[in-house]
Amino acid sequence: MEGESSKNDSFKERQAERMKRLRDLHIKRNEARQMNHQEVVEEDKRNKLPPNWEARKRQAEWVLNDEEKRKKAEENGENYDRVKLLQIDALEAERLDRKKKKKNPDIGFADYEQATARQYNRLVKNMKPDMEQYERQRNKLGDAFYGGQNTILHGLHNDNQILLKEHFRNVIKGISKREKYSRRRMHNDDADIDYINERNMKFNKKLERFYGEHTTEIKQNLERGTAV
């Protein structure tokens, strides 16, 4: 009887051990399934991000860190640019200066396309991103934040009035700058009047300069009334 009792006890112990190991395997399988699902979700999010997202994120973090150091320097009554230069040696400062000139060299006026591109790069460089607002919008809009193929963006975004005023100031500043550096030509009373204001007159002159030789015959036919 004692032998049979010991056999039953050992069988129950083995059975309990097997059940415990089976429960542990179930728990580990569920944990692995959850981790795999999280990895799939994160990978899907990374795939939906722009190709240069990591570089842009590092740049934004550097800008925020630089702005924080600048505020601390201003609170202490220090010139941040001077303090920053004191922390690097002359060779590094020279290398950064060469890199800055190479990145956006001032080659003077070449054409309107390059002037517009330089203005755009300057305005973008002066923009300071609000990463907290960015994160709030991304969490609020979810997948619609990146504007997929079938996403309806109308009504999802609200324009920031501060940024609109800043954009308006930049436009006015650009117009005033162009007016300051534009040389006023002598008015010719005998010239044909084919414009409604001074800005339209300049635009027509540009068209004439680039396309005049190709449209001379068409213009003459229109004036004679013999155009087909």
Side-chain angles (χ1 to χ4, degrees):
M1 294 294 292
E2 292 180 1
E4 292 180 358
S5 177
S6 61
K7 287 181 180 180
N8 291 333
D9 293 340
S10 61
F11 175 77
K12 291 180 179 179
E13 291 175 357
R14 290 195 301 271
Q15 187 74 9
E17 182 66 23
R18 292 194 189 97
M19 295 301 295
K20 182 177 179 300
R21 290 172 59 187
L22 184 61
R23 284 194 298 271
D24 293 341
L25 289 174
H26 278 294
I27 293 173
K28 291 181 179 179
R29 185 184 66 177
N30 292 333
E31 291 178 352
R33 183 183 298 170
Q34 292 177 359
M35 293 176 64
N36 288 336
H37 178 70
Q38 292 177 358
E39 288 295 329
V40 170
V41 172
E42 292 297 327
E43 184 177 1
D44 182 64
K45 288 182 179 179
R46 289 193 298 268
N47 292 334
K48 292 180 179 178
L49 293 174
N52 59 343
W53 166 249
E54 292 296 333
R56 290 168 60 182
K57 185 178 180 181
R58 288 195 299 269
Q59 176 70 14
E61 291 175 352
W62 182 87
V63 170
L64 291 175
N65 189 24
D66 189 70
E67 286 296 322
E68 185 177 354
K69 291 181 179 179
R70 185 180 296 275
K71 289 180 180 179
K72 290 182 179 179
E74 291 177 355
E75 291 175 357
N76 297 330
E78 299 174 342
N79 188 340
Y80 176 70
D81 294 329
R82 182 178 177 83
V83 173
K84 188 176 180 180
L85 289 175
L86 290 175
Q87 296 177 357
I88 60 176
D89 54 19
L91 294 177
E92 181 68 13
E94 185 178 358
R95 185 187 70 82
L96 293 175
D97 186 59
R98 287 198 307 268
K99 183 178 179 181
K100 182 179 180 180
K101 291 181 179 179
K102 183 178 179 181
K103 187 175 182 181
N104 192 20
D106 188 2
I107 58 177
F109 179 82
D111 52 41
Y112 290 98
E113 182 178 358
Q114 291 187 12
T116 303
R118 284 177 57 83
Q119 181 188 22
Y120 171 79
N121 292 331
R122 184 177 67 252
L123 293 175
V124 170
K125 186 177 180 180
N126 292 332
M127 292 175 62
K128 296 179 175 59
D130 187 352
M131 296 304 297
E132 294 181 357
Q133 177 67 16
Y134 176 85
E135 291 294 337
R136 285 196 298 269
Q137 275 195 330
R138 188 174 68 169
N139 295 331
K140 178 182 178 181
L141 300 178
D143 295 338
F145 180 78
Y146 299 103
Q149 183 177 1
N150 299 319
T151 304
I152 300 176
L153 298 177
H154 180 71
L156 296 179
H157 294 273
N158 294 324
D159 295 329
N160 191 322
Q161 297 299 322
I162 298 177
L163 297 180
L164 287 176
K165 291 180 181 178
E166 182 67 22
H167 175 67
F168 177 75
R169 283 195 295 268
N170 289 330
V171 172
I172 298 300
K173 184 179 178 181
I175 294 175
S176 62
K177 189 175 182 180
R178 285 195 297 270
E179 291 177 350
K180 184 185 300 183
Y181 288 101
S182 62
R183 181 169 57 87
R184 190 173 185 86
R185 271 66 173 177
M186 293 294 293
H187 180 68
N188 185 7
D189 294 331
D190 297 330
D192 295 333
I193 299 178
D194 57 353
Y195 52 87
I196 58 175
N197 52 37
E198 186 175 357
R199 194 169 184 179
N200 181 239
M201 177 183 67
K202 294 179 181 179
F203 179 74
N204 291 343
K205 287 183 177 180
K206 290 179 187 177
L207 293 179
E208 181 68 23
R209 187 164 60 248
F210 288 104
Y211 305 108
E213 59 179 342
H214 306 292
T215 59
T216 301
E217 184 178 355
I218 299 174
K219 188 175 181 179
Q220 291 175 354
N221 291 336
L222 289 173
E223 291 175 352
R224 290 194 301 265
T226 60
V228 178

